[in-house]
Amino acid sequence: MNINKRVEEGLVSLLGKCNSTTLKTTKQIHAHLYVTGLHTNPFFFGKLLLHCASSISDHALHYSLRLFQHFPNPDTFMYNTLIRSLSHSSTPLTSLQPFIQLLRHPTLFPDSFSFAFALKGIANYGHLNKSGIQLHSQAFRHGFDSHIFVGTTLISMYAECGCYESATKVFEEMPEPNVVAWNAVVTASFRCGDVEGAWGVFQRMPIRNLTSWNVMLAGYVKASELGLARRVFSQMTMRDDVSWSTMIVGFSQGGSFDEAFGFFRELRREGIRPSEVSLTGVLSACAQAGAFEFGKILHGFMEKAGFLCIVSVNNALIDTYSKCGNVDMAKSVFQNMSAAKCVVSWTSMIAALAMHGRGDEAIQVFYEMEESGVRPDGVTFISLLYACSHSGLVQQGCDLFSKMTNLYGIEPAAEHYGCMVDLYGRAARLQEAYEFICQMPIPPNAIIWRTLLGTCSLHGNIELAELVKARLAEMDPNNSSDHVLLSNVYAVAGKWKDVAGIRRTMIEHSMKKTPGWSMIEIDKVIYRFVAGEKPNEVTEEAHDKLREIMLRLRTEEGYAPQVRSVLHDIEEEEKEDSVSKHSEKLAAAFGLAKLPKGRILRIVKNLRVCGDCHTVMKLISKVYQVEIIVRDRSRFHSFKNGFCSCRDYW
DNA sequence: GTAGGGTTAG
């Protein structure tokens, strides 16, 4: 008993040291058990397996699977632990391996837990295949299909795999469905796109607790039905942190930052203590909105309230600071984390450096990540390739791409191919970019072709641009940005007839262009400027200031708006409007008028910054001795003393 | 000693 106590303490201390599991810590724990002779003790071995379930890389998990194969006489409980761990892993189908072993075992039998965990494995995999159906029939054979927990998991499994009818059938055949089963069916309806059906089921429910309402909120939010979510939310007599988090995250992801902030303020007004989930939700709204000051306030609050020991909170802070233009603060959060860095932390840091054009540093952080023993995943490589393409590191990008597939065995997704096309294209190696697409093992999607078209526009390659546009016309004929990109290529070459032709086509097909907007935060209030909006007090003030700025730039720096720059505009803001009305210029002018001298102007734009605006920002930073940080759709530009951090490579 | 439905960061 004493020994057990000591071992348990040892385990607890090991677990405490590593709230992220690696192969190394797993081996340490196993060694610890071995030395004390407890490696064959089912209780402690079970603890080890559970520990592996929280593994940040699957190395530890597969190692524990090997240990399990040599474990003498495991019982059903131990099988269940392993099945559960594997069902949560990035390879959830591997959970079927021990399940099948258990089925074939001469003396042991699977119980309701075994079935529930194995079904969860299929649900997490997301495809039914034969295995899902076989599992269902095995559950039937063993008499567990009418078990309420197994039944509910069956509903979820079918829903996750897109089999709405089977999900409903399981529910209808349930002898006594409880509220959890009802909730699962509501989720299944949403999951399969039947928003009205979900409401119908919700109306028919005999009992509705708080979770049922939260299910409705989550469903509406995922279906982008924010108005309906708000209506349900207002009808709720009880709300918990999940309800609030759902609203905050939902509105934030829908681009309604003000509303997201509003829900958070309301939560605070009601005296509710926010959880790390609602906090990361607001932080992500700050990140998207570029609300630097608000982000800092939240950071201070979280520090005082003791949230900084939670890894997700740190990750959200890294992302918020970097997307608000302060990569050094992101770095400081990253370096001072008390929580162990997981793959998201490393990737966020790499992405932060990438966005700010610090490609070499991003690669350096990646090497440190490799040394730390945290395994990179597909997203890590997207950030890395993005870092390379935005810093012109073509060779490094190619090397990393092959490392990803050859060393890490990560199957490249469309996004990775897209990054490679961008990498070659930006570096003016358009032919290689085109050949790369032609050699892809998966069919290139419209986004990949569009990436190539974008780089053709950047480098003025008409021939290739026309070829690519023809492909795009087959796949996505009414995409306005493709037309704009091609017209930019023509404009740069002075082919005005072709420009006019494209314009006509766009009008004929009534294609809507994405309106450009820019935001700037002043005294914690976010001001949004939209190109071509009706004048109001704020825009009048911005226009006045802008006129003054332009005059100074003309007289002191000899600035003249270039026609070429007008046409270089990647995505529309009405061209017949003069470039001086571009929203980022208005935001900068307004910031210059309102913010105290010496304060950095932080601007967020939804589209890519245009060439003329880029020049103007450089000049303003010189003439007014002000630092301007612009986040556009794809990266950051930090203007200082007449230069931009992107070194005009964008 | 293990579960099922709702919210989290790249």
Side-chain angles (χ1 to χ4, degrees), chain A residues 590-612:
Chain A
F590 193 67
L592 213 52
K594 287 289 181 193
L595 284 171
K597 213 172 157 39
R599 192 74 75 75
I600 300 174
L601 306 185
R602 298 173 186 279
I603 296 164
V604 175
K605 197 188 174 193
N606 66 331
L607 305 175
R608 277 188 56 186
V609 62
C610 89
D612 185 66

Side-chain angles (χ1 to χ4, degrees), chain A residues 228-248:
Chain A
L228 294 174
R230 191 194 279 282
R231 192 195 293 172
V232 170
F233 185 77
S234 66
Q235 288 167 358
M236 289 167 75
T237 50
M238 257 200 2
R239 293 162 186 157
D240 63 2
D241 191 78
V242 174
S243 332
W244 290 100
S245 305
T246 306
M247 298 308 277
I248 293 168

Side-chain angles (χ1 to χ4, degrees), chain A residues 308-360:
Chain A
L308 295 190
C309 57
I310 300 170
V311 65
S312 61
V313 169
N314 288 278
N315 299 343
L317 278 171
I318 295 169
D319 190 49
T320 304
Y321 280 132
S322 96
K323 289 196 177 140
C324 289
N326 202 321
V327 69
D328 292 316
M329 281 182 80
K331 211 169 161 181
S332 141
V333 171
F334 179 74
Q335 284 168 339
N336 298 319
M337 274 174 77
S338 58
K341 299 178 180 77
C342 68
V343 60
V344 179
S345 330
W346 287 99
T347 305
S348 307
M349 193 62 234
I350 292 170
L353 292 163
M355 271 186 273
H356 288 81
R358 288 156 69 164
D360 289 313

Side-chain angles (χ1 to χ4, degrees), chain A residues 547-560 619 623-624:
Chain A
R547 269 190 289 277
E548 175 207 313
I549 294 171
M550 288 309 202
L551 190 65
R552 243 186 105 174
L553 297 191
R554 277 202 181 91
T555 50
E556 293 180 29
E557 296 291 328
Y559 161 77
L619 294 177
V623 171
Y624 287 83

Side-chain angles (χ1 to χ4, degrees), chain A residues 482-525:
Chain A
D482 296 343
H483 287 79
V484 174
L485 283 170
L486 186 61
S487 93
N488 283 338
V489 181
Y490 288 139
V492 170
K495 295 193 154 196
W496 305 110
K497 261 192 182 166
D498 294 310
V499 174
I502 290 180
R503 193 163 184 84
R504 242 190 337 270
T505 315
M506 291 183 72
I507 293 167
E508 276 164 18
H509 293 81
S510 54
M511 288 184 209
K512 282 261 164 32
K513 296 188 266 182
T514 318
W517 53 253
S518 298
M519 295 191 297
I520 186 161
E521 182 189 10
I522 291 162
D523 283 336
K524 292 171 212 85
V525 178

Side-chain angles (χ1 to χ4, degrees), chain A residues 241-309:
Chain A
D241 191 78
V242 174
S243 332
W244 290 100
S245 305
T246 306
M247 298 308 277
I248 293 168
V249 172
F251 278 80
S252 156
Q253 285 176 350
S256 309
F257 318 119
D258 290 342
E259 272 103 333
F261 294 144
F263 280 114
F264 184 72
R265 290 199 188 98
E266 214 179 316
L267 172 156
R268 297 289 289 150
R269 260 206 304 280
E270 294 201 3
I272 299 167
R273 184 188 152 87
S275 73
E276 82 269 18
V277 178
S278 40
L279 282 167
T280 46
V282 203
L283 275 179
S284 111
C286 289
Q288 287 189 72
F292 179 63
E293 300 298 331
F294 191 29
K296 270 202 299 197
I297 292 172
L298 287 169
H299 188 178
F301 167 79
M302 290 186 293
E303 192 167 11
K304 258 188 258 156
F307 279 102
L308 295 190
C309 57

Side-chain angles (χ1 to χ4, degrees), chain A residues 373-553:
Chain A
V374 175
R375 191 185 160 85
D377 64 13
V379 187
T380 315
F381 279 98
I382 289 173
S383 303
L384 274 170
L385 296 174
Y386 175 92
C388 293
S389 81
H390 285 262
S391 297
L393 305 169
V394 180
Q395 191 52 50
Q396 287 90 329
C398 295
D399 294 345
L400 285 164
F401 187 80
S402 69
K403 188 172 204 173
M404 170 176 88
T405 50
N406 298 333
L407 186 65
Y408 289 105
I410 297 169
E411 192 87 13
E415 287 92 337
H416 299 100
Y417 291 112
C419 285
M420 291 304 287
V421 171
D422 198 50
L423 179 74
Y424 286 120
R426 270 178 206 275
R429 291 159 70 164
L430 293 168
Q431 194 55 36
E432 281 164 275
Y434 177 65
E435 280 162 17
F436 186 87
I437 295 180
C438 297
Q439 287 166 9
M440 277 172 56
I442 55 172
N445 60 26
I447 298 170
I448 290 178
W449 285 115
R450 195 162 296 133
T451 304
L452 182 59
L453 184 58
T455 59
C456 286
S457 155
L458 208 60
H459 297 291
N461 187 327
I462 296 182
E463 206 181 322
L464 189 57
E466 285 177 337
L467 190 152
V468 173
K469 178 67 181 68
R471 289 288 176 88
L472 278 164
E474 293 162 14
M475 305 171 86
D476 193 0
N478 289 324
N479 189 299
S480 66
S481 64
D482 296 343
H483 287 79
V484 174
L485 283 170
L486 186 61
S487 93
N488 283 338
V489 181
Y490 288 139
V492 170
K495 295 193 154 196
W496 305 110
K497 261 192 182 166
D498 294 310
V499 174
I502 290 180
R503 193 163 184 84
R504 242 190 337 270
T505 315
M506 291 183 72
I507 293 167
E508 276 164 18
H509 293 81
S510 54
M511 288 184 209
K512 282 261 164 32
K513 296 188 266 182
T514 318
W517 53 253
S518 298
M519 295 191 297
I520 186 161
E521 182 189 10
I522 291 162
D523 283 336
K524 292 171 212 85
V525 178
I526 306 227
Y527 294 89
R528 195 198 294 241
F529 295 89
V530 185
E533 70 186 322
K534 276 187 194 153
N536 57 51
E537 231 173 83
V538 173
T539 56
E540 288 298 325
E541 196 174 348
H543 275 293
D544 287 347
K545 183 72 183 174
L546 188 57
R547 269 190 289 277
E548 175 207 313
I549 294 171
M550 288 309 202
L551 190 65
R552 243 186 105 174
L553 297 191

